[in-house]
Amino acid sequence: MSARPQPLALPLDRLGRPLRDLRLSVIDACNFRCGYCMPADQVPDDHGLDAASRLSFDEIEVLARAAARVGATKLRITGGEPLLRKGLPDLVARLARIEGIDDLAMTTNGALLARHARALREAGLRRLTISLDALDPALFHELSGNRGDIGDVLAGIAAAGQAGFGSLKINCVVQRGVNEDEVLPLVEHFRGSGHVLRFIEYMDVGTCNGWRRDRVVPSAELRDRIHARWPLHALDAHYRGEVAERHAFDDGAGEVGFVSSVTAPFCGDCHRARVSADGRLYTCLFSASGIDLRADIGQGEVALSERLSALWGARADRYSELRGSERASARHVEMFLVGG
Ligand code: SAM
Ligand code: SF4
Ligand code: SF4
C-alpha cells in the first residue's frame, strides 16, 4: 500500500463519514442512449461539452491528488462513456502513480473496450466494471437506444481477460417488464467465469428517465429467483461500505452481488464524492447541483485539498434514506454527468 501525502486531518462529514472514494467523470458524452440514463428523445445526438469545457488531464490529476490528501484511496473513472475520452491511458498512467490511491477502476459500457483494454491495463488500470443489461442481441440493441451491439461488449469482456484484468464486475440494471427475463440467462452465462455479476436496482437518478417505482425489481426478489435455480448463500462484505450484498453459489461456481439502493439504502456508509467532467463536485448522486471546483483546482493541490475538506465537512446527504419524504429534493443531477 502506498503512503499518503499527509498535511491535513482527514475530514468527516456531518454524519461522521470519511471520504474514501472519488468518482471522476472524464466525459459527459456517450455512444449509447440507455433509457434509464440518457433517453434518446431527451438527450440529442450532439449532446456534450466542448473539449475546452472539460477538465484537462493536468486538472484531473490535481483533483485526484487533492482528494488523496483528504482521505480518498479509491478512484473510479466514469462518464458518460469514458472510453470516448481521447488519450485515456495517459490519464490512467498519471492517476496510477498517485500516492495513497490503492484502487484505480473504471466503469464502461464496454462497446469500445476490445481496442483499449490492453493499453489501459499497461497504463495501470487495476479493475474494470462493465455494464450489461441483456444478452439477447435485439433487446441489448434496443436498451442501448439502438446504438449498441452485444457482440462488441462480449468481445470487450474477452479482451479485458486477455489483457490481464482477471475478475471483472458486470453490472446489470433490472427493470420490471423490460429485462427481467435476462436475469437467469445472464447468471447462467457468467457463473463459473470468474467474473462477478451484480444486479442493480433501477434508481430515480436524474430527471429525464421518467422513473417509476413499479419498474424497480427488489433485489430480494431477484435473489430468490436465482436461488431457486442455483442455490446461494450470503457472504460477508469485503470491507465496510461495500455497496453490493454478496452471495455465493453453493456449488462453488462463484458469486453474484445485489445493489439495493432503493429497497435497502446504504447512505450511512456512503464515502463517495463525484466530480463531473467540467469540474463540479457532487457529494450525493441525487444532489440537485454541483459545486464548481475549477477555480480551486487552479490554486493547486494543497489549496484544493483544504477546500475539499471544508466541503466534505459540511456534507449531510442521505437522499436514499429520505426518498419519498418531504425532505428529499425532487431535482437530481443526471447520471450521465456524474457517472454512477
Ligand atoms: N457509460 C458507462 C457505463 O454505462 O458503464 C459509465 C457511466 S454509467 C452512468 C454508470 C452506471 O450507471 C452504469 O452501470 C449504468 O447502468 C448505471 N445507471 C445509469 N442510470 C441508472 C439508473 N437509473 N439506475 C441504476 N443504475 C443506473
Ligand atoms: Fe451511456 Fe452509461 Fe448512461 Fe448507458 S448508462 S447512456 S452507456 S452513460
Ligand atoms: Fe450516498 Fe447519496 Fe446514494 Fe445515500 S443517496 S448512498 S448519500 S450517493
Side-chain angles (χ1 to χ4, degrees), residues 266-267 270 272 274 284-286 315 317-320:
F266 36 79
C267 300
C270 180
R272 287 175 292 281
R274 297 169 165 91
C284 178
L285 188 50
F286 298 89
R315 173 190 193 239
D317 303 295
R318 56 188 192 100
Y319 172 82
S320 288

Side-chain angles (χ1 to χ4, degrees), residues 30 36-37 78-82 107-109 129-131 133 171 173 200-205 209 211 335-336 339-340:
C30 189
Y36 53 56
C37 175
T78 178
E81 175 44 44
T107 304
T108 170
N109 64 30
T129 299
I130 294 158
S131 306
D133 296 334
N171 276 0
V173 177
I200 320 286
E201 287 178 347
Y202 172 38
M203 291 186 287
D204 48 337
V205 286
N209 63 9
W211 184 82
M335 187 76 140
F336 58 85

Side-chain angles (χ1 to χ4, degrees), residues 224-246:
D224 290 350
R225 269 196 233 173
I226 298 167
H227 178 73
R229 175 87 176 268
W230 295 286
L232 294 168
H233 57 274
L235 294 175
D236 289 338
H238 283 118
Y239 54 88
R240 177 146 190 230
E242 185 172 37
V243 297
E245 209 187 287
R246 302 171 56 216

Side-chain angles (χ1 to χ4, degrees), residues 47-312:
H47 156 84
L49 296 166
D50 56 65
S53 310
R54 291 181 199 133
L55 294 184
S56 65
F57 287 177
D58 284 344
E59 289 172 309
I60 293 174
E61 185 179 344
V62 169
L63 177 61
R65 287 185 181 279
R69 282 179 177 265
V70 294
T73 58
K74 296 172 67 169
L75 284 183
R76 177 169 295 276
I77 298 169
T78 178
E81 175 44 44
L83 293 177
L84 292 177
R85 178 83 191 239
K86 290 206 170 56
L88 198 60
D90 296 340
L91 177 65
V92 166
R94 293 167 73 152
L95 299 179
R97 284 196 292 269
I98 297 177
E99 288 188 357
I101 298 299
D102 302 321
D103 187 8
L104 180 58
M106 186 174 80
T107 304
T108 170
N109 64 30
L112 301 171
L113 187 58
R115 68 185 84 148
H116 295 296
R118 189 162 298 278
L120 291 168
R121 182 73 190 173
E122 284 170 0
L125 190 67
R126 301 275 289 276
R127 295 193 302 117
L128 267 173
T129 299
I130 294 158
S131 306
L132 177 56
D133 296 334
L135 282 176
D136 176 79
L139 182 60
F140 179 88
H141 185 67
E142 189 187 329
L143 294 178
S144 71
N146 299 324
R147 315 281 162 115
D149 179 340
I150 181 67
D152 292 338
V153 180
L154 296 177
I157 291 173
Q162 283 155 13
F165 278 99
S167 178
L168 306 173
K169 284 187 185 144
I170 312 287
N171 276 0
C172 171
V173 177
V174 184
Q175 292 180 73
R176 175 91 63 209
V178 175
N179 63 336
E180 313 175 67
D181 292 346
E182 291 292 310
V183 169
L184 293 181
L186 278 162
V187 175
E188 186 159 36
H189 185 87
F190 287 106
R191 257 170 54 82
S193 68
H195 304 318
V196 178
L197 183 60
R198 308 188 320 164
F199 294 103
I200 320 286
E201 287 178 347
Y202 172 38
M203 291 186 287
D204 48 337
V205 286
T207 44
C208 70
N209 63 9
W211 184 82
R212 294 190 343 228
R213 194 165 183 126
D214 60 9
R215 281 256 177 111
V216 178
V217 184
S219 293
E221 183 183 324
L222 291 179
R223 192 193 55 223
D224 290 350
R225 269 196 233 173
I226 298 167
H227 178 73
R229 175 87 176 268
W230 295 286
L232 294 168
H233 57 274
L235 294 175
D236 289 338
H238 283 118
Y239 54 88
R240 177 146 190 230
E242 185 172 37
V243 297
E245 209 187 287
R246 302 171 56 216
H247 289 261
F249 295 106
D250 287 355
D251 65 4
E255 60 180 88
V256 283
F258 300 93
V259 180
S260 316
S261 343
V262 179
T263 61
F266 36 79
C267 300
D269 278 333
C270 180
H271 308 145
R272 287 175 292 281
R274 297 169 165 91
V275 177
S276 59
D278 60 348
R280 288 175 190 276
L281 172 75
Y282 294 84
T283 54
C284 178
L285 188 50
F286 298 89
S287 300
S289 58
I291 300 153
D292 191 350
L293 292 179
R294 216 159 188 150
D296 301 286
I297 293 172
Q299 300 299 308
E301 180 184 328
V302 173
L304 178 63
S305 65
E306 284 161 6
R307 172 91 168 125
L308 284 178
S309 182
L311 292 170
W312 187 261

